[in-house]
Amino acid sequence: RIIVDNCKLASYQDTILINTANTSAGYFNKCLVQGDVDFIWGSGIGYFKSCEIRSMLRPGNAQGVTTQARSGAGVYGLIFYDCDLTRSSSTMTNWSLGRDANTSGPDGNNAWLKCRMDSHIIPAGWTDGGLADKSTLRFWEYQSKDITGTTLLPTVSRVPWSRQLDATEFETVSNPTNVFASIFWEPILPPYVACQPTNQSAFAGQ
């Protein structure tokens, strides 16, 4: 279990590996995570809130993949809520949200919820990792917007083995309590002291 709060995680491939199913878990809040291919991946559970997910230009290759979820059936995988998907170069135009891990992750779960995406993300959204039967994949989106956050992205060209969630499903998947329920963990961030405390009256129990 790990909580990563307001940190920069900088690498290229394999920046974050959440390795072990039903054991490894991470809660990432207001972090910068950057990499160039499959840089967030693994079998465990990762919840990313209000993070910047920055794609780095690969030398000699303008295409890349953001995630590779290998989560098992019945558990959540890599969940991104209120995040920004940015790019290190305007020449990057052929990136995807993620790909399957072939037979290593037939039940992979990857969700992008109310995230803002720069124009390097392809209309299809996702990359084919070679899994023949993709019916068990859980590649989800909900109300993705352009990088300015003002316009919903068209999803008509998304691959057929991904799915747009409805509002009820979004409420369930975006709640960390639900995401980490299978491993009986509730990550709690320390309080931020935003201003100098002032005197006030309070009743017992408040």
Side-chain angles (χ1 to χ4, degrees), residues 45-47 75-77 79 172-183:
I45 303 172
Y47 188 98
V75 297
Y76 290 106
I79 311 298
T172 300
V173 177
S174 62
N175 188 333
T177 300
N178 298 328
V179 171
F180 294 108
S182 63
I183 58 170

Side-chain angles (χ1 to χ4, degrees), residues 4-5 7 15 19 22 34 43 45 56 71-72 76 94 106 133 136-137 150-151 156 158 163 177 182 194 199-200:
V4 184
D5 186 24
C7 292
T15 305
N19 198 31
N22 300 316
Q34 68 181 42
S43 302
I45 303 172
M56 305 298 291
S71 35
Y76 290 106
N94 193 18
D133 179 7
T136 53
L137 289 176
T150 57
T151 305
V156 65
R158 292 299 197 237
R163 192 161 70 85
T177 300
S182 63
N199 294 331
Q200 64 179 11

Side-chain angles (χ1 to χ4, degrees), residues 10-25:
S11 187
Y12 288 91
Q13 189 171 3
D14 300 351
T15 305
I16 296 175
L17 167 59
I18 306 174
N19 198 31
T20 309
N22 300 316
T23 301
S24 301

